[in-house]
Amino acid sequence: MAAQPPESAGTGFDRSDSTGFARALRRLPGLGAAIVFLGLLTGTPSYGATCPSNIDADRCTANDLQPTGTQVVAGPDACTEGETISATIRVFFGDGGGANERYDLGFFVGENGEEPIGGSSCAFQSLEPTGPPPPLDLTSGSGPFEVLDGDSCGDLSASNVTYVDISSNNLLCEDRDGDGQIDVGYVISYSNQGNAADCSDPDDETQFYPDPPKCIADLNYDLPIRVELPPSIEVVKVAVPAVLVAQGTPISAEVTYYVAIQNTSSITDPVTITSLTDNPYGNLAGRGTCALPIKLAPGQSRQCSFTETVTGVAGDSITDTVTAGGTDNEGTPVSGVDSATVRIIGTPQREGNIELFKVALPRSLPEPGGIARYSVLATSTTEVPVTLETLVDDLYGDLDGRGSCSVPQYLRPDQPFYLCQFQALVNGDPGDVIVDTVTATGLDDNGNALLAEDQAAVTVTNRNAQIAVEKVPFPLQVIAPAGLVTFTVAVQNESAVDEVTITSLVDSVHGDLNGQGDCSVPQVLAPRGGSYLCQFDALVTGIVGDFETDVVTVSGTDDDGEAVSESDGATVYIVDAGGLTAGISISKLASPTAVTEPGEDVNFTLQIFNTSSVRDLTVDTLVDSVFGNLDRQGSCVLPILIPAGAGPHTCGFTGLVSGQGGDEEVNAVIASGDDGSGNRVRDKASARVAILDASPGLSLVKRAAPSFLPPPGGPVTFTVEVTNTSPSDSVELESLTDSVYGDLNGKGNCSLPQTLAPGASYSCQFQQSVVGEAVSLHVNEVLALGTSDDGDALSAQGRAFVLIAVTGGAVTLWGGGSLALIILALAALARRALPSR
């Protein structure tokens, strides 16, 4: 065993300590003005370097180096899955606590998806002392760096707050654990022995291979860069009429082609269509109603049309194809294609026809599912007008009145399209493909019954489970030649949705822990913070100056059968009787570990250990990076006396965790105190809480005043009120369209667009003259379209009714009836009135 001087600072029952980057390298909270950052110049990044292969990731869990935060200083906010990007991450070290120096640090990051241990390509950097002026001055210490051991490679003094910029230009944009962020693998190697002074070349990665291992690693570190699926669009082309009649002679006739484009990308990807080309008619920009560019928010659709002369004889089929192309907001190309065929027949066709198209957005949702937005497009493809009578979904039922869908609808050659949208909750297990079918029925003007259907599918994808493991020894020091140590192992399920079954607890030194102490498996942990804690005793032996580091590996499966595993190490130092000092270790657990935006209360539980077997510990400071001084918050009251040999002191408090969906709050607590002899000790622990998206929405109410008029009618004031029902997302209200009066922008005091804060409403009024015979019902409907600040396409609709009747009769007729009966009667009359719109 290598010698290791004892440290008074605890090594921690702390997620930031126990898994290095995976728990600690999070966005650093604001630091006081008294803190001075010491910027370290690092060596020129070496890309394509050989990754270390002489270590095992499960053994690379040293916890005596404590990164304290990260910040992305260069790189994109988002990337498209499968591409490679460049990024620079600023990693913070040191907390002013006086911990020991660390020497000859090397940083390895896997490139192009390679593992940093045994992979073929790594980005490598070290703390190269590149003090100005050139050439390199490797010994003087005159640059903004530290050389503590006299060799040619840079070192860290943890008593100063220090940052290191780590760069890579070949990071693969991939999300392995389903949390929406880039996953990369890293290794940080270092030495805690400053007398070796054997690092001669800071650019030679082989001098930084840890042997024996003194390193921290994470093969799936979440980099705070959002991973997006490749953008996609859906293109639909329809010819009207789709059938021409040529009786004995060639025919030349005009055909109108309708092109519809929908952005079917994820909710973060707006798309701009910059090309629209038809074969054989060429560039469509500026032809008919087609114009470029076309900007589409996620879920939005646009349509245009152009007219061409089709020539042929009976039996011909003329097919033409339209191709749309463009890019998303990151410049990733996107394209879509569709064709339409015109048939020429010799005998007139007397029947109408309906074609139906259905699109789901997004096309996949992480388990257990979520809100999907469906678009349904019905078209009449012949010269014979048709009435679309019903739209029925085999999963969601009658679509009349759902979202913006309303039937009946009258489709004729000059207006052959009807497009509507609705939202629905999709639930399932990973791998499930939720297929639903919309069926349309109708009649043509000749009385022929018509039928059409189409399907859309949403795939439920796996959201990988995550567990956190922490291991704490008591005591932290034993007197040579041997001492009994109690090890505490804690496991927490950090998964948002998956239950986890722990099936294995294995220690690198003490073997299978099942049956040792009170440790046993299997253990079932509920999602969002379910936890398990056990203890076992073991004998630690050695001579003065030795230390023993052992690693516990916890393994199991989530409720989808996917494997889950995590490790943590603990170090015990062997000293003589005079070397015993006080020690402190603190853990912090959050319950739940995931909340829904804009936020919820979270219960935080602290456990503070006195890691000394001979000295009492008085904890006099307990400060949280988010919630401040914890004294007298919840059950935490200072000072806290923990006698030597006593169990941990437990206290807790409740705090509000808030933010936008996709955010993550990491807060750290620092505990400090003394052992009555003037020895100050301190330790810190972190807890992580994920913030999940809440489903945004719009609601719309439309009112008519007056709602009763004597014949022949008169002026009516219509009021439209749209409310953002989201608890956290703002919404851009983009359009208000009335089924009778058209675009309302500029009518009355209606003005668009409008930005609605969460829970806010927008109201406007316009006046129109409503006329009709007695007894008649005027019905008009307003459709609102908008986009949330997360890119969700939203819609809402509302109807208003004006009854034209003899005033006295109307008062007598409706005055004595119940409101429910009035609403039912109006709804029935509205359905009868809709075809005339």
Side-chain angles (χ1 to χ4, degrees):
M1 272 183 206
Q4 163 68 36
E7 298 184 41
S8 61
T11 57
F13 185 13
D14 171 7
R15 271 176 289 195
S16 66
D17 301 342
S18 65
T19 55
F21 250 22
R23 306 290 181 235
L25 301 193
R26 307 293 181 193
R27 192 170 298 274
L28 194 68
L31 297 175
I35 300 282
V36 177
F37 286 128
L38 303 179
L40 293 184
L41 292 182
T42 59
T44 301
S46 175
Y47 302 127
T50 303
C51 307
S53 59
N54 62 321
I55 55 175
D56 179 349
D58 288 342
R59 297 284 295 173
C60 210
T61 57
N63 55 18
D64 55 350
L65 177 69
Q66 298 182 13
T68 54
T70 58
Q71 182 178 355
V72 178
V73 295
D77 294 329
C79 60
T80 300
E81 188 175 49
E83 71 174 337
T84 56
I85 64 167
S86 299
T88 299
I89 308 300
R90 179 161 294 172
V91 184
F92 295 88
F93 292 91
D95 57 12
N100 287 356
E101 292 83 5
R102 296 294 174 256
Y103 308 95
D104 304 341
L105 277 77
F107 303 86
F108 296 87
V109 177
E111 295 185 301
N112 297 311
E114 293 282 342
E115 299 292 356
I117 297 175
S120 62
S121 179
C122 272
F124 164 75
Q125 285 175 250
S126 67
L127 298 186
E128 186 169 11
T130 56
L136 301 184
D137 178 0
L138 302 182
T139 58
S140 74
S142 61
F145 55 85
E146 295 178 272
V147 176
L148 303 174
D149 57 359
D151 65 14
S152 298
C153 300
D155 311 308
L156 281 182
S157 174
S159 61
N160 294 315
V161 176
T162 306
Y163 66 81
V164 180
D165 288 345
I166 303 174
S167 298
S168 176
N169 66 354
N170 288 300
L171 289 177
L172 180 64
C173 184
E174 63 175 344
D175 175 20
R176 302 173 192 152
D177 57 13
D179 65 355
Q181 295 182 321
I182 287 184
D183 294 315
V184 297
Y186 79 89
V187 173
I188 301 178
S189 67
Y190 59 97
S191 169
N192 56 13
Q193 299 297 308
N195 55 6
D198 58 357
C199 185
S200 60
D201 185 355
D203 291 326
D204 179 6
E205 70 267 22
T206 64
Q207 296 196 23
F208 295 84
Y209 293 170
D211 188 17
K214 196 63 178 175
C215 51
I216 55 177
D218 191 337
L219 304 186
N220 287 289
Y221 168 61
D222 285 332
L223 201 63
I225 296 175
R226 190 174 64 252
V227 177
E228 298 178 351
L229 294 175
S232 60
I233 58 174
E234 188 88 10
V235 177
V236 175
K237 185 175 187 183
V238 176
V240 179
V243 178
L244 299 175
V245 179
Q247 295 179 314
T249 60
I251 185 174
S252 291
E254 287 190 343
V255 173
T256 299
Y257 294 94
Y258 294 86
V259 179
I261 306 171
Q262 183 175 35
N263 179 2
T264 55
S265 309
S266 67
I267 61 174
T268 57
D269 255 345
V271 164
T272 300
I273 303 301
T274 54
S275 67
L276 198 58
T277 306
D278 188 280
N279 181 14
Y281 301 118
N283 184 11
L284 297 182
R287 300 181 79 164
T289 62
C290 298
L292 296 175
I294 302 171
K295 295 184 178 181
L296 299 174
Q300 278 191 319
S301 60
R302 294 288 186 269
Q303 70 179 49
C304 68
S305 63
F306 64 99
T307 301
E308 294 292 340
T309 299
V310 174
T311 302
V313 298
D316 286 351
S317 290
I318 297 93
T319 298
D320 69 309
T321 302
V322 66
T323 301
T327 60
D328 68 0
N329 56 325
E330 279 107 29
T332 304
V334 62
S335 64
V337 63
D338 195 30
S339 298
T341 298
V342 177
R343 293 187 300 116
I344 302 177
I345 62 175
T347 302
Q349 179 172 307
R350 305 302 302 172
E351 291 186 1
N353 185 56
I354 296 175
E355 290 189 18
L356 199 65
F357 304 90
K358 185 177 185 187
V359 176
L361 178 75
R363 294 179 175 179
S364 63
L365 288 166
E367 65 171 323
I371 298 295
R373 293 163 296 283
Y374 294 95
S375 296
V376 180
L377 176 66
T379 71
S380 169
T381 60
T382 71
E383 291 284 0
V384 180
V386 303
T387 299
L388 178 66
E389 295 189 318
T390 67
L391 285 172
V392 179
D393 191 292
D394 65 342
L395 293 184
Y396 307 116
D398 187 356
L399 298 183
D400 183 29
R402 184 157 192 161
S404 64
C405 297
S406 174
V407 287
Q409 295 288 334
Y410 192 58
L411 309 180
R412 56 185 189 268
D414 62 330
Q415 293 184 5
F417 282 106
Y418 175 66
L419 173 67
C420 71
Q421 296 176 316
F422 68 97
Q423 297 183 355
L425 183 63
V426 175
N427 284 319
D429 295 322
D432 286 352
V433 180
I434 312 301
V435 178
D436 68 315
T437 302
V438 169
T439 301
T441 64
L443 291 172
D444 67 15
D445 277 9
N446 297 318
N448 297 305
L450 305 175
L451 180 71
E453 65 180 27
D454 195 25
Q455 294 179 330
V458 177
T459 301
V460 180
T461 59
N462 186 45
R463 190 197 301 260
N464 286 7
Q466 283 186 295
I467 59 173
V469 177
E470 300 174 1
K471 185 176 184 182
V472 177
F474 174 80
L476 186 68
Q477 305 160 343
V478 298
I479 300 174
L484 193 65
V485 176
T486 298
F487 292 95
T488 299
V489 178
V491 188
Q492 185 172 42
N493 181 6
E494 294 188 328
S495 309
V497 296
D498 283 336
E499 183 180 83
V500 169
T501 300
I502 301 302
T503 56
S504 172
L505 293 167
V506 177
D507 191 279
S508 59
V509 175
H510 306 295
D512 186 356
L513 298 183
N514 186 30
Q516 294 195 47
D518 61 357
C519 296
S520 65
V521 290
Q523 296 290 334
V524 179
L525 309 183
R528 298 196 185 193
S531 60
Y532 171 68
L533 184 145
C534 72
Q535 295 180 322
F536 68 96
D537 296 332
L539 192 67
V540 176
T541 62
I543 62 174
V544 173
D546 281 354
F547 65 92
E548 177 181 290
T549 298
D550 60 348
V551 178
V552 63
T553 299
V554 180
S555 303
T557 58
D558 65 13
D559 52 17
D560 303 316
E562 297 288 333
V564 60
S565 182
E566 188 62 273
S567 301
D568 188 30
T571 300
V572 177
Y573 302 99
I574 301 168
V575 299
D576 58 25
L580 288 172
T581 62
I584 186 173
S585 180
I586 184 172
S587 74
K588 185 176 187 180
L589 294 177
S591 180
T593 56
V595 299
T596 301
E597 62 175 348
E600 301 173 27
D601 283 339
V602 173
N603 297 316
F604 294 96
T605 301
L606 308 179
Q607 281 196 312
I608 308 171
F609 294 78
N610 178 0
T611 58
S612 172
S613 58
V614 297
R615 293 185 182 274
D616 294 346
L617 170 68
T618 300
V619 180
D620 51 27
T621 303
L622 205 55
V623 178
D624 190 278
S625 61
V626 174
F627 301 106
N629 184 2
L630 298 182
D631 185 22
R632 303 187 187 281
Q633 289 199 47
S635 60
C636 298
V637 179
L638 297 176
I640 300 168
L641 174 64
I642 308 176
H649 175 85
T650 301
C651 71
F653 66 96
T654 299
L656 176 65
V657 175
S658 59
Q660 292 287 318
D663 289 349
E664 183 177 71
E665 179 176 293
V666 179
N667 52 33
V669 62
I670 295 178
S672 61
D674 66 60
D675 63 359
S677 301
N679 295 317
R680 296 294 297 176
V681 293
R682 71 201 300 269
D683 192 29
K684 69 175 181 294
S686 298
R688 180 180 66 175
V689 180
I691 301 171
L692 306 177
D693 277 317
S695 298
L698 286 176
S699 66
L700 188 150
V701 176
K702 185 176 184 183
R703 294 182 292 271
S707 57
F708 300 97
L709 287 171
V716 174
T717 299
F718 294 96
T719 301
V720 179
E721 183 175 24
V722 184
T723 300
N724 175 9
T725 60
S726 169
S728 58
D729 290 336
S730 62
V731 169
E732 185 82 356
L733 178 61
E734 297 165 340
S735 67
L736 289 171
T737 305
D738 191 282
S739 59
V740 175
Y741 305 115
D743 187 0
L744 297 184
N745 187 26
K747 283 187 169 65
N749 65 350
C750 297
S751 176
L752 298 163
Q754 295 285 337
T755 300
L756 305 183
S761 298
Y762 171 70
S763 178
C764 69
Q765 293 180 326
F766 65 99
Q767 191 177 76
Q768 293 289 334
S769 180
V770 176
V771 297
E773 298 178 353
V775 171
S776 63
L777 181 70
H778 169 92
V779 182
N780 66 326
E781 179 181 70
V782 168
L783 172 65
L785 296 178
T787 303
S788 76
D789 57 13
D790 293 330
D792 292 297
L794 305 174
S795 65
Q797 64 179 14
R799 290 176 177 174
F801 307 92
V802 178
L803 181 65
I804 298 175
V806 176
T807 305
V811 172
T812 303
L813 174 65
W814 301 111
S818 73
L819 181 60
L821 287 176
I822 293 173
I823 293 172
L824 288 173
L826 290 177
L829 285 171
R831 285 196 176 89
R832 290 169 51 192
L834 284 173
S836 64
R837 290 189 292 165

